[in-house]
Amino acid sequence: MKILISNDDGYLAPGIIALANALAPIAEIVVVAPDSNRSGSSNSLTLDRPLTVQRAENGFYFINGTPSDCVHVALTGMLNFRPDLIVSGINQGQNMGDDTLYSGTVAAATEGFLFGIPSIAFSQVSKGWEELDAAAKVAREIVERQFATLPQPFLLNVNIPNLPYDQIKPPIATRLGKRHVSEPVIKTKDPHGREIYWIGPAGAAKDASEGTDFCAIAQGHVSVTPLQIDLTHAAQLLALSKDLL
Amino acid sequence: MKILISNDDGYLAPGIIALANALAPIAEIVVVAPDSNRSGSSNSLTLDRPLTVQRAENGFYFINGTPSDCVHVALTGMLNFRPDLIVSGINQGQNMGDDTLYSGTVAAATEGFLFGIPSIAFSQVSKGWEELDAAAKVAREIVERQFATLPQPFLLNVNIPNLPYDQIKPPIATRLGKRHVSEPVIKTKDPHGREIYWIGPAGAAKDASEGTDFCAIAQGHVSVTPLQIDLTHAAQLLALSKDLL
Amino acid sequence: MKILISNDDGYLAPGIIALANALAPIAEIVVVAPDSNRSGSSNSLTLDRPLTVQRAENGFYFINGTPSDCVHVALTGMLNFRPDLIVSGINQGQNMGDDTLYSGTVAAATEGFLFGIPSIAFSQVSKGWEELDAAAKVAREIVERQFATLPQPFLLNVNIPNLPYDQIKPPIATRLGKRHVSEPVIKTKDPHGREIYWIGPAGAAKDASEGTDFCAIAQGHVSVTPLQIDLTHAAQLLALSKDLL
Amino acid sequence: MKILISNDDGYLAPGIIALANALAPIAEIVVVAPDSNRSGSSNSLTLDRPLTVQRAENGFYFINGTPSDCVHVALTGMLNFRPDLIVSGINQGQNMGDDTLYSGTVAAATEGFLFGIPSIAFSQVSKGWEELDAAAKVAREIVERQFATLPQPFLLNVNIPNLPYDQIKPPIATRLGKRHVSEPVIKTKDPHGREIYWIGPAGAAKDASEGTDFCAIAQGHVSVTPLQIDLTHAAQLLALSKDLL
């Protein structure tokens, strides 16, 4: 099996190193990741300037672009083979509920999926890299499952609690929960007296009911959400048709 | 009616000026848009640095950030009122099919929708701003419809053919089509001999069948697609559950 | 006379608009300036990505690069004529003493000088654009002097007090003063708890004695400092030679 | 002796690693360098956003800013001691003649000098890191000289030929040479048909006469140029005074 690994925390992040180390024994791996932290970059693609590929001493490739750029470049010109699987992460911090829209980690997996390749995004729920080894072990187990009964290609969003391995409960299938709207921007002044705005933190969980990723995580499970990327609101098509008459 | 206007081409783009001019007679408008072209920025949010808001001579506000940043800052700290509607565009170039995932124009509208406000993204199908006046007139008509029979808030993605006004056919409700995978990256060298990669163009339409945005546009109609933002692949939940046992 | 105008505050800044308006009656002017504020950019050149040139409605050209980039591109590929003079500014805020090293305004003029063209940098001493009309009138008068007795090409750094025109004293030739070292960085935390550092303000004047730019400005004069760009410390060459034996 | 090390190629560049390794046996060293390649950044300071400091596994600190930012932050808030010496490099590629104006490597040393600390910039003449070990050995020898007979603080610009150690001739004191004007920008189109401009290479040596850095290097010597930072053209002050009457 050949696996392409990317992330949005940058090629130096502990999460991608742990993930690469966990998967190297079971697959041929290649790492192509952003040169620096690109958290919050969503599916952003770099269209107005060219990208460069460099190789680090440990063999990882890094690109001066977004997570989507990395997977896109790897698949359409850089690699001379087609990966069997694309994995992204392990992200520092959860990607649950509406967060998935903004996540560069999920975006890297989505880019692979758009090219017809099964893809999995991995995130640790809490920041700080605690219990990263456990998360990497879980990630490897999930990769080994192969998901043969799912339609191919699939796109999975996996969140892992920061717990010791033997306290992590089995993975369960979940739907994305909902969050309350974000906290307000933090309006302050820089030291030169100019008004500046910092984007505030995400909102608290609003729908964390049974079956959601929030609920699974709260119970100590690994949350695995199957994703799709068709944004059409099919249920509204008829009403909209009437409204447009 | 109070309308917040944003885009991803930047506050100086002809498309947002035309849109603001078209809506000013029917609503109280405020423009908050990126300081420069941010095409392809998707739902990217700027988390690692603060943002600043400036005001241009024509009254437009501009922010050194992404389309999502602009709407986010406007709604959570900058404006002292809650808009009744958020519109984004008019974008230079189509946002149809899978493109919507990458679009900053659609992302600006999505950000408004996430805050519970009805939002509409407008794009002209071809680049070059031809027949922009016609597109602006169409945009105004769509805003005036108000879509009272749709569940609130709604999120609409509108694509408008670059045709003279009297040749544009009525708006019809569509689903997003599908594209073939993107063209390969263009691998070349910069003048200093370094290898560089340019992201290639989007793929051709793959599913442009009856009912899609591609089909509507090909027939000269305005395409209006209702969007939702829950990426959960509900139909796979059961299969995945079994697979995880 | 043909004059190329640039700055470091960006092509939309009031200072460059005032300067262009003041010079248009006495010369053929072309404006090529950064697309956004590039204060503090020094002689920085953009080597790792290509630049694009756009034209605003008022005829100004703007480039997604530094002040040095703008003059460099204008002179070596964009303009089909060779300017007789390059002017930069009017900058918002003084460029005196050691500041000149960091100044993008001075850098734009320096770039012109390196290509063998007489160049003048203009700055208003205080921020906020007060008495900008007076500064523009002074700038025009200085351009009209032509400095025929100076060796060609020359490089001048002009600072103008923010005073009403009739209170500004005549221009006098000055040397650069010295500043005390900068204020410390401001160490603080962003709203997410991460430690961040803001570069602090420049230090106070240390050598503001008779003959310096600081002294001239304190007395209400326009300060005109002739610059050179050879950083060789000629007086140390002998001592260093001995030391290296 | 305590030495602060920075560069403009980024903290991962072979040149700074070699320099740190060469100096570690003879001094207490701390490395504070840009997070990525900032070649051509000159004395640019980042004024419009805050900077963050991170620490790599090897103990190097890296900052999301320019070379000048790195030294500035280190000296005015980050380090709890005052270095005895600041060294910058080893740069990939020469910084000779007029290049020194644009060089981020020289700028890092200049920033230290502005704070009253002796500073030395090191560059290898050719790109590609050939004979880097020899250059590092030379750099160490130059640091060990201490230059007690020079006025303190001093600012030195050292260029080292890419030769095996035993073929490198002794260091000699030089003045900066002069270059011909740069090659024209390279005007081309990106794959989307947009016109783009790449800054062209530096011009050939124009003054490479006896005593210049160009001449020393051509003969296989290490070139050591003492620098000063007062840009005042003292010799023109009188002529300018008359002209302004």
Side-chain angles (χ1 to χ4, degrees):
Chain A
M1 182 163 56
K2 289 170 180 163
I3 301 181
L4 170 62
I5 304 177
S6 193
N7 76 345
D8 76 350
D9 290 324
Y11 77 104
L12 292 166
I16 198 167
I17 294 169
L19 185 56
N21 288 342
L23 298 181
I26 63 166
E28 189 178 325
I29 64 163
V30 59
V31 174
V32 184
D35 61 350
S36 59
N37 190 335
R38 305 275 177 154
S39 294
S41 63
S42 190
N43 298 86
S44 178
L45 275 180
T46 301
L47 304 174
D48 62 346
R49 61 174 177 84
L51 303 165
T52 54
V53 179
Q54 292 182 266
R55 190 167 197 183
E57 269 191 30
N58 67 355
F60 287 13
Y61 294 94
F62 56 99
I63 290 182
N64 56 345
T66 66
S68 298
D69 286 338
C70 290
V71 173
H72 195 106
V73 167
L75 293 182
T76 75
M78 184 190 146
L79 301 181
N80 55 9
F81 63 91
R82 183 176 167 88
D84 302 299
L85 180 71
I86 290 167
V87 299
S88 174
I90 299 171
N91 190 58
Q92 182 178 217
Q94 60 189 269
N95 282 303
M96 305 200 290
D98 313 317
D99 295 353
T100 49
L101 273 183
Y102 301 104
S103 165
T105 308
V106 174
T110 301
E111 193 71 16
F113 173 75
L114 275 163
F115 281 93
I117 300 172
S119 300
I120 310 177
F122 292 103
S123 306
Q124 270 198 306
V125 170
S126 301
K127 296 191 176 186
W129 306 116
E130 269 184 64
E131 305 295 349
L132 181 57
D133 287 348
K137 195 168 174 189
V138 167
R140 174 178 161 164
E141 289 168 359
I142 287 184
V143 166
E144 287 177 323
R145 283 175 177 272
Q146 303 211 19
F147 302 98
T149 67
L150 283 187
Q152 302 293 316
F154 53 80
L155 175 60
L156 300 178
N157 182 36
V158 178
N159 283 275
I160 306 168
N162 299 55
L163 293 172
Y165 180 75
D166 54 9
Q167 293 177 30
I168 297 179
K169 293 191 191 156
I172 57 175
T174 59
R175 70 176 191 276
L176 297 175
K178 299 281 172 213
R179 286 192 185 279
H180 285 279
V181 296
S182 296
E183 298 293 313
V185 288
I186 292 107
K187 193 175 173 176
T188 177
K189 295 205 171 182
D190 76 12
H192 308 290
R194 291 173 298 207
E195 245 177 23
I196 55 175
Y197 296 82
W198 290 91
I199 298 288
K206 182 178 177 184
D207 171 13
S209 57
E210 185 71 28
T212 63
D213 45 6
F214 292 122
C215 179
I217 289 297
Q219 296 170 348
H221 283 284
V222 174
S223 165
V224 185
T225 310
L227 300 183
Q228 57 83 32
I229 57 161
D230 184 348
L231 301 178
T232 307
H233 196 317
Q236 280 185 4
L237 275 170
L238 188 60
L240 180 62
S241 285
K242 287 183 184 159
D243 214 326
L244 287 173
L245 284 185
Chain B
M1 184 162 54
K2 289 170 179 162
I3 301 181
L4 170 62
I5 304 177
S6 194
N7 76 345
D8 77 349
D9 290 324
Y11 76 104
L12 292 167
I16 198 168
I17 294 169
L19 185 56
N21 288 341
L23 298 182
I26 62 166
E28 189 178 327
I29 64 163
V30 58
V31 174
V32 184
D35 61 350
S36 58
N37 190 334
R38 305 275 176 154
S39 295
S41 64
S42 190
N43 299 87
S44 180
L45 274 181
T46 301
L47 304 175
D48 62 346
R49 61 173 176 85
L51 303 165
T52 54
V53 179
Q54 291 182 266
R55 191 168 198 182
E57 270 191 29
N58 68 354
F60 287 13
Y61 294 94
F62 57 99
I63 290 181
N64 56 344
T66 65
S68 298
D69 286 337
C70 290
V71 173
H72 195 106
V73 168
L75 294 183
T76 75
M78 185 190 145
L79 301 181
N80 55 8
F81 63 91
R82 184 176 166 89
D84 302 299
L85 180 71
I86 290 167
V87 300
S88 174
I90 299 172
N91 189 59
Q92 181 178 216
Q94 59 188 268
N95 282 304
M96 305 200 290
D98 314 317
D99 296 354
T100 50
L101 272 183
Y102 301 105
S103 165
T105 307
V106 174
T110 301
E111 194 71 16
F113 173 76
L114 274 163
F115 282 93
I117 300 172
S119 299
I120 310 176
F122 292 103
S123 306
Q124 270 198 306
V125 170
S126 302
K127 295 191 177 186
W129 306 117
E130 270 183 64
E131 307 293 351
L132 181 57
D133 286 348
K137 194 168 174 189
V138 167
R140 173 177 161 165
E141 289 169 358
I142 287 184
V143 166
E144 288 176 323
R145 282 174 177 274
Q146 303 212 20
F147 302 98
T149 67
L150 284 186
Q152 304 291 317
F154 54 79
L155 175 60
L156 301 178
N157 182 37
V158 178
N159 284 274
I160 305 168
N162 299 55
L163 293 171
Y165 180 75
D166 53 11
Q167 294 176 31
I168 298 178
K169 294 193 190 153
I172 56 175
T174 59
R175 70 177 191 276
L176 298 174
K178 298 282 171 211
R179 287 192 184 277
H180 285 280
V181 297
S182 297
E183 299 292 314
V185 288
I186 293 107
K187 194 174 171 175
T188 177
K189 295 206 172 182
D190 76 12
H192 309 290
R194 290 173 299 206
E195 245 177 23
I196 55 174
Y197 297 82
W198 291 90
I199 298 287
K206 183 179 176 184
D207 171 13
S209 57
E210 186 70 27
T212 63
D213 45 6
F214 292 122
C215 179
I217 289 297
Q219 296 170 348
H221 283 283
V222 174
S223 164
V224 184
T225 310
L227 300 183
Q228 55 83 34
I229 56 160
D230 184 348
L231 301 178
T232 307
H233 196 317
Q236 280 185 4
L237 274 171
L238 188 60
L240 180 61
S241 285
K242 287 181 183 162
D243 213 326
L244 288 173
L245 284 184
Chain C
M1 184 162 54
K2 289 169 179 164
I3 302 181
L4 169 62
I5 304 177
S6 193
N7 76 346
D8 78 348
D9 290 325
Y11 76 104
L12 291 167
I16 199 167
I17 294 169
L19 185 56
N21 288 342
L23 298 182
I26 62 167
E28 189 179 327
I29 63 164
V30 59
V31 174
V32 184
D35 61 349
S36 57
N37 190 334
R38 304 275 176 155
S39 295
S41 64
S42 190
N43 299 86
S44 179
L45 276 180
T46 301
L47 304 175
D48 62 345
R49 62 174 175 83
L51 303 165
T52 54
V53 180
Q54 292 182 267
R55 191 168 198 182
E57 270 192 28
N58 67 354
F60 288 13
Y61 294 94
F62 57 100
I63 290 182
N64 56 344
T66 66
S68 299
D69 287 337
C70 291
V71 173
H72 195 107
V73 167
L75 294 182
T76 75
M78 184 189 145
L79 300 182
N80 55 8
F81 63 91
R82 183 175 166 88
D84 303 298
L85 180 70
I86 290 167
V87 299
S88 175
I90 299 171
N91 190 57
Q92 181 179 217
Q94 60 189 268
N95 282 304
M96 305 201 290
D98 314 317
D99 295 355
T100 50
L101 273 183
Y102 302 104
S103 165
T105 307
V106 175
T110 301
E111 193 71 18
F113 173 75
L114 275 163
F115 281 93
I117 300 172
S119 299
I120 311 176
F122 292 103
S123 305
Q124 270 197 308
V125 170
S126 302
K127 296 192 176 185
W129 306 115
E130 270 184 63
E131 305 294 350
L132 181 57
D133 286 348
K137 195 169 174 189
V138 167
R140 173 177 160 165
E141 289 168 359
I142 287 185
V143 165
E144 287 175 324
R145 282 174 176 275
Q146 302 211 23
F147 302 98
T149 67
L150 284 187
Q152 304 290 319
F154 53 80
L155 175 59
L156 301 178
N157 183 35
V158 179
N159 283 275
I160 305 167
N162 300 55
L163 293 172
Y165 180 75
D166 53 11
Q167 294 177 30
I168 297 179
K169 293 194 191 151
I172 56 176
T174 59
R175 69 175 190 278
L176 298 176
K178 300 281 172 213
R179 288 191 183 278
H180 285 281
V181 297
S182 298
E183 300 292 315
V185 289
I186 293 106
K187 194 174 171 175
T188 177
K189 295 205 173 184
D190 77 11
H192 308 291
R194 291 174 299 207
E195 246 176 23
I196 55 175
Y197 297 82
W198 290 91
I199 299 288
K206 183 181 178 183
D207 171 13
S209 58
E210 186 70 27
T212 63
D213 46 4
F214 291 123
C215 179
I217 289 297
Q219 296 171 349
H221 283 285
V222 174
S223 164
V224 185
T225 309
L227 300 183
Q228 56 83 34
I229 56 160
D230 185 349
L231 301 178
T232 307
H233 196 316
Q236 281 186 3
L237 274 171
L238 189 60
L240 180 61
S241 284
K242 287 182 184 160
D243 214 326
L244 288 173
L245 284 185
Chain D
M1 185 163 53
K2 290 171 180 163
I3 301 181
L4 170 62
I5 304 177
S6 194
N7 76 345
D8 78 348
D9 290 325
Y11 78 105
L12 292 167
I16 198 167
I17 294 169
L19 185 56
N21 288 343
L23 298 182
I26 62 166
E28 189 179 327
I29 64 163
V30 59
V31 174
V32 184
D35 60 350
S36 58
N37 191 334
R38 304 276 176 153
S39 294
S41 63
S42 190
N43 299 85
S44 177
L45 275 181
T46 302
L47 304 175
D48 62 346
R49 62 173 176 84
L51 303 165
T52 54
V53 180
Q54 292 182 267
R55 191 168 198 182
E57 270 191 28
N58 67 354
F60 288 13
Y61 294 94
F62 56 99
I63 289 182
N64 56 344
T66 66
S68 299
D69 287 337
C70 291
V71 174
H72 195 107
V73 167
L75 294 182
T76 75
M78 182 189 146
L79 301 181
N80 55 8
F81 63 91
R82 182 176 167 88
D84 303 298
L85 180 71
I86 290 167
V87 300
S88 174
I90 299 171
N91 190 57
Q92 182 177 217
Q94 59 189 269
N95 283 303
M96 305 201 291
D98 314 316
D99 295 355
T100 50
L101 273 183
Y102 302 105
S103 165
T105 307
V106 175
T110 300
E111 193 72 17
F113 173 76
L114 275 163
F115 281 93
I117 300 172
S119 300
I120 311 177
F122 293 103
S123 306
Q124 270 198 305
V125 170
S126 301
K127 297 192 176 185
W129 307 116
E130 269 184 63
E131 305 294 350
L132 180 57
D133 286 348
K137 196 170 173 187
V138 167
R140 174 178 160 164
E141 289 169 0
I142 287 184
V143 165
E144 286 176 323
R145 282 175 176 273
Q146 302 212 23
F147 302 97
T149 67
L150 285 186
Q152 303 291 318
F154 53 80
L155 175 59
L156 300 178
N157 182 36
V158 179
N159 283 274
I160 306 168
N162 299 55
L163 294 172
Y165 179 74
D166 53 10
Q167 294 177 30
I168 297 179
K169 294 193 189 151
I172 56 176
T174 58
R175 69 176 192 277
L176 298 175
K178 299 280 172 214
R179 287 190 183 279
H180 285 281
V181 298
S182 297
E183 299 292 314
V185 289
I186 293 107
K187 193 174 172 174
T188 176
K189 295 205 171 182
D190 77 10
H192 308 290
R194 291 174 298 207
E195 245 176 24
I196 55 174
Y197 297 81
W198 290 91
I199 298 288
K206 182 181 178 184
D207 171 13
S209 58
E210 186 70 27
T212 63
D213 46 5
F214 291 123
C215 179
I217 289 297
Q219 296 171 348
H221 284 284
V222 174
S223 164
V224 185
T225 310
L227 301 183
Q228 55 83 34
I229 57 160
D230 184 349
L231 301 178
T232 307
H233 197 317
Q236 281 186 3
L237 274 170
L238 188 60
L240 181 62
S241 285
K242 288 183 183 159
D243 214 327
L244 288 173
L245 283 185

